Amino acid sequence: MKLMLPLLVTLTALAAPARAADPAPDVARLLADADRFRMVDDDLVVETRVTTTSPDKERLYTVYAQSGRRSLVVMRSPAEQGQKVLMLGDDFWLLMPGTQRPMRITPMQKLLGDASTGDIATLRWSQDYAATLVGAEPCAEDAAPSAPAACWHLSLAAQRKGTSYARIELWLGRTHHEPVRADLYVQSDKRAKQARFIADRPERPTRIDAMELIDALGHGRRTRIEYLSRQARRVPDAWLNPMALARNPTLE
């Protein structure tokens, strides 16, 4: 009888069903959900403010983010009045007032502080990157104080040459899939910036209200990009043509 007890325990353990592991989330859905917190419609006009504290500066931009990887950034501050940046897929142009010759630039062209044209143009991760799931991790390490404790960590690899960053390590809240923080890597695989995202309602977020960029190359400078308003709007095709835009600088 004494010999039967260990055998009985062993058989019972073998018969018990194994505990199912938590199913892995759908990575494409995670990335699409994350985009939804930044881009609430396919065609948007976003009033944007960029500020730095070293030195203290502020710039205002109107961003017409359109479907099909198209964006028009109109500079509103007196120091840049009349300048525009047009993005069509992998191509970026800078249009200066008083000239009809658009100039080719890169998405990493600086605007103010560590904010570049690619950062301001509100690009969609789900269109430009292939994502893989790294796993479930804490959200900490310079996340916003109100950020959730648990995150999904995704690794994003650029799928085309016109992206601002070759690789992005992205952390999303596990419950709502809102962006929490990101490490941004350039083509040389150096981490150029860290980003943290500030949601409107930390407990039940519906949108991202601001993004803070921290210089990761040793200077520690901080640049804040605030999304002051978003409104659905489809712009005329002429606004998305560099030559037509140069001939019509007032956007009439």
Side-chain angles (χ1 to χ4, degrees):
M1 187 68 182
K2 289 183 179 179
L3 294 174
M4 291 295 294
L5 183 58
L7 179 60
L8 181 61
V9 172
T10 302
L11 292 174
T12 303
L14 291 174
R19 183 179 176 181
D22 291 338
D26 182 279
V27 175
R29 180 185 171 187
L30 285 180
L31 209 54
D33 287 350
D35 276 339
R36 180 174 49 83
F37 284 94
R38 302 183 308 140
M39 302 292 294
V40 297
D41 198 279
D42 286 342
D43 300 298
L44 281 177
V45 54
V46 185
E47 298 298 337
T48 305
R49 177 168 60 207
V50 179
T51 56
T52 64
T53 55
S54 182
D56 291 330
K57 286 186 178 180
E58 176 182 298
R59 296 284 188 270
L60 297 174
Y61 304 91
T62 300
V63 181
Y64 300 94
Q66 304 290 287
S67 59
R69 298 189 181 101
R70 303 173 300 167
S71 291
L72 174 63
V73 179
V74 180
M75 306 181 189
R76 299 297 189 189
S77 298
E80 303 170 322
Q81 190 74 39
Q83 298 181 35
K84 303 176 185 68
V85 173
L86 177 64
M87 184 206 78
L88 301 176
D90 293 331
D91 299 316
F92 282 68
W93 290 271
L94 173 65
L95 295 102
M96 301 292 290
T99 178
Q100 293 191 350
R101 185 180 295 276
M103 295 182 292
R104 292 270 189 159
I105 62 172
T106 73
M108 292 302 289
Q109 185 89 17
K110 287 294 183 67
L111 292 177
L112 180 66
D114 280 311
S116 66
T117 53
D119 296 319
I120 299 296
T122 4
L123 306 179
R124 293 167 175 84
W125 294 317
S126 57
Q127 294 182 356
D128 298 330
Y129 291 87
T132 57
L133 178 66
V134 178
E137 298 179 1
C139 297
E141 188 183 330
D142 210 24
S146 57
C151 274
W152 291 115
H153 176 189
L154 302 183
S155 185
L156 277 55
Q159 296 299 289
R160 57 189 190 85
K161 64 180 182 179
T163 56
S164 302
Y165 306 102
R167 177 165 66 93
I168 298 176
E169 300 299 316
L170 178 64
W171 285 263
L172 309 176
R174 285 191 65 175
T175 302
H176 302 290
H177 308 161
E178 76 278 19
V180 174
R181 67 182 182 93
D183 290 340
L184 310 172
Y185 292 81
V186 292
Q187 195 66 41
S188 63
D189 208 37
K190 287 185 178 179
R191 187 177 67 171
K193 305 174 192 175
Q194 293 175 286
R196 66 178 191 175
F197 303 91
I198 295 91
D200 58 339
R201 297 183 302 175
E203 303 82 10
R204 189 173 290 275
T206 64
R207 66 177 185 269
I208 295 299
D209 281 347
M211 174 174 68
E212 288 190 351
L213 296 173
I214 302 100
D215 172 37
L217 297 178
H219 304 290
R221 295 185 304 262
R222 290 179 180 254
T223 303
R224 184 179 179 90
I225 301 172
E226 296 176 84
Y227 310 111
L228 304 178
S229 69
R230 295 176 176 92
Q231 184 177 356
R233 182 180 177 184
R234 186 177 179 86
V235 303
D237 288 341
W239 291 20
L240 303 171
N241 179 302
M243 298 310 298
L245 192 61
R247 292 191 298 269
N248 181 26
T250 58
L251 298 181
E252 294 177 351

